[in-house]
């Protein structure tokens, strides 16, 4: 499977616990995005990486959220001290940027987080 | 502030009908407009995309119409099938491609 892979697919956690999600992008893609989607809404941008550099972060990304992409390959998104409002689908996408052009962004299947 | 406005929120058509979903944007810097299809519990899947240098793009049963002066674009699904029942999102990005702005989605139901 050469698509974007996300793990785990589902995560149930107690409020206050920390959780970490992983995303493996399409191998030749140098851009990686994290989005959050709540029920009945479109995906909302959280952050993106160009190779290993985190170039932009949304105001939605509070200080409890941190994302990394070591070596410009896979990425992790960690949420500390989870709150019930963090319950959502967390989506990862990847694309290729070459010079001034960027290709289509392909999404993974998402990680569904439920905070109880 | 919603960068991309999408309508209708939901749509029901008979099999074989042609549902049309509309989107509008304000930022004239946007230069890439994809449509995504999403089934429950799955991630969005890229369906078709257009850039502003063309007014129409067709791929299979899916067609995007683009009106640059009106800052609007729409998705047409020809000969719709029950398997097309899903939520459809339009999106837009600027030349840097640093993020995609999504519409609020249209839930499509195709009745057999």
């Amino acid at each position: 499977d050469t698509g974007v892979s996300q793990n785990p697919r589902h995560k149930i956690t107690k409020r206050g616990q920390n959780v970490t999600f992983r995303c493996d992008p399409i191998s030749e893609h140098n851009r990686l995005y994290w989005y959050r989607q709540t029920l009945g809404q479109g995906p909302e941008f959280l952050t993106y990486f160009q190779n290993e550099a985190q170039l932009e972060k949304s105001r939605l990304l509070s200080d409890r959220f941190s994302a990394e992409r070591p070596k410009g390959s896979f990425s992790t998104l960690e949420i500390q001290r989870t709150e019930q409002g963090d319950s959502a689908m967390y989506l990862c996408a990847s694309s290729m940027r070459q010079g001034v052009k960027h290709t289509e962004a392909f999404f993974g299947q998402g990680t569904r987080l439920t905070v109880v | 502030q919603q960068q991309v406005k999408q309508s209708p929120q939901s749509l029901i058509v008979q099999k074989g009908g042609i549902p049309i979903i509309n989107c509008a944007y304000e930022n004239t810097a946007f230069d890439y407009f994809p449509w995504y299809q999403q089934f429950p519990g799955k991630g969005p899947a890229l369906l078709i995309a257009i850039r502003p240098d063309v007014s129409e793009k067709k791929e299979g049963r899916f067609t995007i119409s683009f009106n640059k002066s009106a800052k609007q674009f729409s998705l047409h699904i020809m000969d719709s099938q029950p398997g097309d029942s899903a939520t459809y999102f339009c999106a837009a990005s600027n030349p840097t491609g640093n993020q995609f702005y999504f519409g609020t989605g249209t839930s499509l139901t195709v009745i057999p």
Side-chain angles (χ1 to χ4, degrees):
Chain A
D1 187 352
T2 57
V4 178
S5 176
Q6 290 188 247
N7 289 289
R9 290 294 312 279
H10 304 274
K11 179 71 176 178
I12 299 174
T13 190
K14 290 185 178 179
R15 189 176 52 174
Q17 297 294 305
N18 299 345
V19 294
T20 300
F21 311 139
R22 176 177 171 128
C23 172
D24 289 89
I26 294 171
S27 58
E28 63 269 24
H29 284 183
N30 55 10
R31 283 203 165 182
L32 187 147
Y33 308 82
W34 284 100
Y35 280 79
R36 181 172 71 185
Q37 186 178 26
T38 53
L39 206 60
Q41 298 297 315
E44 295 175 296
F45 172 78
L46 292 178
T47 188
Y48 93 98
F49 293 82
Q50 173 95 11
N51 300 311
E52 67 277 6
Q54 187 174 18
L55 296 185
E56 190 163 331
K57 293 194 288 187
S58 161
R59 287 172 296 174
L60 293 174
L61 213 67
S62 75
D63 56 4
R64 296 185 297 106
F65 288 69
S66 63
E68 294 182 344
R69 192 183 183 198
K71 303 178 183 177
S73 56
F74 70 93
S75 176
T76 58
L77 178 68
E78 181 183 16
I79 308 174
Q80 296 181 326
R81 305 180 304 280
T82 52
E83 300 173 357
Q84 287 187 320
D86 297 331
S87 295
M89 174 82 89
Y90 289 84
L91 294 163
C92 175
S94 71
S95 71
M96 183 66 177
R97 182 169 177 87
Q98 292 174 314
V100 297
K101 289 188 176 180
H102 60 91
T103 64
E104 299 88 346
F106 295 91
F107 281 84
Q109 297 283 42
T111 294
R112 167 73 64 190
L113 173 66
T114 303
V115 182
V116 298
Chain B
Q1 182 181 356
Q2 195 73 28
Q3 296 268 359
V4 179
K5 295 181 180 178
Q6 183 172 347
S7 63
Q9 187 175 3
S10 63
L11 195 51
I12 300 174
V13 299
Q14 295 276 356
K15 178 184 172 182
I18 305 176
I20 301 172
I21 304 170
N22 301 299
C23 286
Y25 64 98
E26 287 297 323
N27 189 343
T28 54
F30 288 154
D31 75 337
Y32 176 70
F33 303 88
W35 284 90
Y36 286 86
Q37 178 190 58
Q38 187 174 32
F39 293 102
K42 304 291 186 183
L46 180 64
L47 205 54
I48 185 172
I50 197 168
R51 295 190 186 271
D53 52 345
V54 295
S55 60
E56 186 176 280
K57 183 173 181 180
K58 187 178 294 188
E59 285 185 4
R61 295 185 295 109
F62 301 95
T63 299
I64 300 178
S65 297
F66 187 84
N67 185 330
K68 188 175 180 178
S69 60
K71 293 184 285 186
Q72 294 176 348
F73 58 110
S74 59
L75 176 71
H76 303 233
I77 305 176
M78 307 301 176
D79 187 27
S80 58
Q81 301 296 314
D84 296 329
S85 298
T87 300
Y88 292 81
F89 292 96
C90 61
S93 74
N94 58 27
T96 64
N98 57 343
Q99 64 172 286
F100 293 82
Y101 299 90
F102 283 82
T104 49
T106 296
S107 176
L108 171 67
T109 302
V110 181
I111 300 170

